[in-house]
Amino acid sequence: MTLPVTALTAAICAIMLLATAIATVRARFRTQASFGDAGDAGLISASRAHGNLAEHAPLFVILIGLLEMANASHWPLTALAVLFLTARAAHIIGLHQPHGPGKPPQLRALGVIGTWIAYAVAIGWTLFLVVTVNG
């Protein structure tokens, strides 16, 4: 395989997307809500877990792929992918945890922060390579 880190990251994201899609459909059946969220917290959590992952995963996988194609160091790239995947899993789990009003569950917050860190590193690394290799 030419891009093993990218391929594994994409496959794990796809598994997570499938799992969150199934959870969303199950919540829709449970609430009998064909559209919207029926005001049901479980359906809202399931839907947002899926939607948020679908928003973040594609661009991150593209960035990982570009870095891997630019021969970025394998182990730091792998660590970055693990950070992203772990953060996304924490966010998904955190969305389903009970919490008080106005205070997000700790795992959800850690998932958001981890995702942002992974994104910032991937963006910075990509820009660095663009400037230094092509500059």
Side-chain angles (χ1 to χ4, degrees):
M1 171 115 353
T2 306
L3 301 172
V5 177
T6 304
L8 185 58
T9 303
I12 293 170
C13 283
I15 291 167
M16 294 168 75
L17 278 166
L18 180 59
T20 57
I22 290 168
T24 301
V25 169
R26 290 181 68 195
R28 287 198 178 286
F29 276 117
R30 180 181 50 75
T31 61
Q32 298 181 354
S34 297
F35 300 99
D37 57 36
D40 181 77
L43 177 52
I44 292 168
S45 293
S47 178
R48 285 313 311 142
H50 178 72
N52 197 272
L53 179 61
E55 292 164 3
H56 289 290
L59 188 55
F60 186 81
V61 170
I62 290 169
L63 289 169
I64 289 291
L66 292 171
L67 288 165
E68 197 165 18
M69 287 175 25
N71 294 318
S73 183
H74 177 77
W75 290 114
L77 191 62
T78 300
L80 185 59
V82 167
L83 171 61
F84 178 80
L85 294 168
T86 303
R88 293 288 76 209
H91 184 264
I92 291 165
I93 294 166
L95 272 169
H96 294 283
Q97 289 182 322
H99 61 284
K103 185 176 181 185
Q106 189 172 9
L107 274 179
R108 181 181 180 192
L110 289 172
V112 169
I113 292 167
T115 298
W116 289 351
I117 291 169
Y119 255 127
V121 170
I123 292 164
W125 196 353
T126 301
L127 291 174
F128 173 78
L129 290 177
V130 167
V131 170
T132 60
V133 173
N134 296 317

